[in-house]
Amino acid sequence: MTLPSQHTPRRFDLLAVGKQPLLLPARDWTRHPDGPLSQLAPCGRMVAQLQQPGKEGGRGGPGQNLQPSGHKRLQPEAHESLCSRPARALVTMSAAPPVFLGSEVVEKHLHRASLLIPSLEAALANFSSGAEGGVVQPMRTVVPVQKYSGFLGVMPAYSAKDDALTTKLVTFYEHKKDSSVPSHQATILLFDPRNGSLKAVMDGSVITAKRTAAVSAIATKFLMPADSEVLCILGAGVQAHSHYEVFTEQFSFKEVRIWNRTKENALKFARSVKGPVQVCSSAQEAVTGADVIITVTMATKPILFGEWIKPGAHINAIGASRPDWRELDDEVMKKSVLYVDSREAALNESGDVILSRAEIFAELGEVVKGTKPALPEKTTVFKSLGIAIEDTVAAKLVYDSWSAGN
């Protein structure tokens, strides 16, 4: 028996038990070996004509061909109504439900940002290789929520080499009155690239913090001056913590300084981390003489000025992700060799790049793959905006680790 091509789905969810149709998920039923074959219903839909259990059959008896539970029995007139609908409305594909991985689970499987470094280096190189690299990533879509001074970003990406497909939904709000709510909140959806099924919904805030810090560490490995001793962090939020953790793990700094606009937060940061941190009273005090500088602030106007910076220093600029926001002044931008994660993103999203009209020397992925040089002897800036492919490889790593244990 065959059906017309437009009515040839793989699994069906409209079943008939005797004269009473049932609607239930396809994965919840199978035809009993002793039952009759599936046949066409009068409406042209595929149904399974199943025998009603007799008195002598009982539960599990020879007449018990189907035992669905929790499904509503449909009346004959409902059957006729359903049969008049398009076939696609009646057919469900069999697929496992997605798993949800909360922040604690993500943290468990991504307890160190440095675990991401090898995968992120490969992803950055692939991204900067064009079509050959197998990365498909459109520009981030940003929806302003002007009433509440917030933004919603949508960041999809596919990596052919990693066979990974994700999209991240991220909100960014400047909570001036309620500091208990994180400024950034994110959720990542991981899909099966073979068929589009949703495999996992996972917390994206932990991944965002750690992948951003890991990418900064990659840039610093290539660009920081030799024998660097002093690390300076401007800002004391989530990104300050994630950067501190990976930088003190990957590099050997003799001194770590921190400044934050609210000094109380800087003091709290210093008390919360494992190593010694010098809390500075001004950004200038923190920056002066520093070899590596990290800016992770909510600033919309410059807080780092070129006259303060030691020649040959390396700067990782993480904040100011909007076209009219700044963390660095024009002097910093114009006297430094500028590296970015994405040329397209930097030219469209970074106020530091757009407003200073600084020339981009290279993408970080070009440095990783060796097509553009690292210049650690010069003053350098890595402008990080965060790109979706970073979330993709990080989410896949977390999901694969979780799957291995389940």
Side-chain angles (χ1 to χ4, degrees):
M1 178 202 67
T2 59
L3 287 169
S5 60
Q6 67 268 30
H7 298 307
T8 314
R10 292 173 54 200
R11 301 288 294 277
F12 305 89
D13 65 353
L14 180 61
L15 310 181
V17 180
K19 295 182 179 180
Q20 300 296 323
L22 293 172
L23 190 66
L24 69 164
R27 61 178 175 270
D28 287 352
W29 66 277
T30 56
R31 182 171 56 83
H32 191 282
D34 296 333
L37 293 174
S38 300
Q39 61 185 26
L40 279 173
C43 64
R45 302 282 189 260
M46 177 69 87
V47 299
Q49 197 70 29
L50 301 171
Q51 182 180 352
Q52 285 276 31
K55 293 181 181 179
E56 68 282 359
R59 183 172 176 84
Q64 193 85 2
N65 290 329
L66 181 67
Q67 293 220 11
S69 61
H71 298 285
K72 182 179 180 181
R73 187 179 299 276
L74 302 179
Q75 299 302 316
E77 58 271 21
H79 181 201
E80 294 176 4
S81 174
L82 283 170
C83 288
S84 66
R85 299 178 190 176
R88 61 180 177 272
L90 302 176
V91 178
T92 59
M93 298 296 291
S94 177
V99 298
F100 176 75
L101 306 181
S103 59
E104 291 184 1
V105 176
V106 174
E107 182 74 42
K108 176 183 176 182
H109 293 279
L110 190 58
H111 53 279
R112 297 197 326 273
S114 58
L115 295 172
L116 291 170
I117 288 176
S119 297
L120 287 172
E121 285 192 352
L124 290 165
N126 291 337
F127 174 77
S128 294
S129 297
E132 180 185 340
V135 173
V136 181
Q137 177 191 289
M139 277 282 296
R140 168 171 34 211
T141 298
V142 179
V143 179
V145 187
Q146 295 181 352
K147 181 178 179 180
Y148 300 105
S149 302
F151 299 89
L152 168 66
V154 183
M155 302 172 63
Y158 170 64
S159 171
K161 293 188 176 180
D162 295 289
D163 200 28
L165 175 66
T166 67
T167 190
K168 182 169 80 173
L169 305 175
V170 57
T171 57
F172 173 77
Y173 281 69
E174 186 176 2
H175 299 294
K176 296 179 179 178
K177 296 181 179 179
D178 185 3
S179 60
S180 65
V181 180
S183 61
H184 292 72
Q185 300 179 77
T187 301
I188 297 175
L189 309 181
L190 175 68
F191 299 90
D192 186 333
R194 299 170 299 177
N195 56 30
S197 298
L198 180 61
K199 295 169 67 174
V201 178
M202 63 181 73
D203 173 84
S205 298
V206 172
I207 286 176
T208 299
K210 295 199 174 187
R211 62 81 155 151
T212 305
V215 171
S216 295
I218 293 168
T220 302
K221 178 178 72 172
F222 286 102
L223 301 174
M224 73 176 182
D227 302 319
S228 293
E229 296 184 348
V230 180
L231 171 66
C232 164
I233 302 174
L234 303 183
V238 171
Q239 286 288 356
H241 281 271
S242 61
H243 277 76
Y244 175 87
E245 289 171 4
V246 72
F247 272 63
T248 53
E249 176 194 332
Q250 295 291 303
F251 309 109
S252 299
F253 294 104
K254 294 182 178 179
E255 182 181 350
V256 179
R257 305 172 187 167
I258 188 167
W259 169 84
N260 192 70
R261 185 167 287 154
T262 305
K263 189 171 183 179
E264 179 184 345
N265 292 339
L267 292 168
K268 183 179 178 181
F269 175 96
R271 291 192 297 266
S272 67
V273 299
K274 295 179 179 179
V277 175
Q278 178 185 341
V279 177
C280 298
S281 299
S282 68
Q284 182 175 0
E285 179 189 348
V287 167
T288 301
D291 300 293
V292 175
I293 302 165
I294 302 169
T295 60
V296 280
T297 73
M298 299 282 288
T300 58
K301 299 184 182 302
I303 47 100
L304 181 61
F305 296 88
E307 62 185 299
W308 303 344
I309 296 171
K310 173 183 177 179
H314 170 64
I315 301 156
N316 295 295
I318 313 303
S321 58
R322 297 294 297 157
D324 55 346
W325 294 359
R326 303 287 301 267
E327 281 189 313
L328 318 182
D329 78 343
D330 284 355
E331 185 178 346
V332 175
M333 296 299 295
K334 290 182 177 179
K335 81 176 189 179
S336 304
V337 180
L338 176 59
Y339 297 82
V340 297
D341 44 14
S342 163
R343 277 189 180 84
E344 182 183 25
L347 292 172
N348 285 275
E349 296 181 333
S350 170
D352 285 326
V353 175
I354 296 167
L355 299 177
S356 69
R357 299 183 180 180
E359 181 180 351
I360 297 171
F361 177 72
E363 290 182 341
L364 181 56
E366 294 174 306
V367 177
V368 172
K369 58 188 274 197
T371 56
K372 284 291 184 74
L375 300 172
E377 70 278 6
K378 296 183 177 294
T379 304
T380 55
V381 169
F382 171 58
K383 178 56 201 173
S384 172
L385 286 159
I387 52 178
I389 196 62
E390 299 165 1
D391 301 306
T392 300
V393 297
K396 185 176 188 297
L397 184 148
V398 170
Y399 181 80
D400 288 347
S401 176
W402 174 85
S403 296
N406 288 271

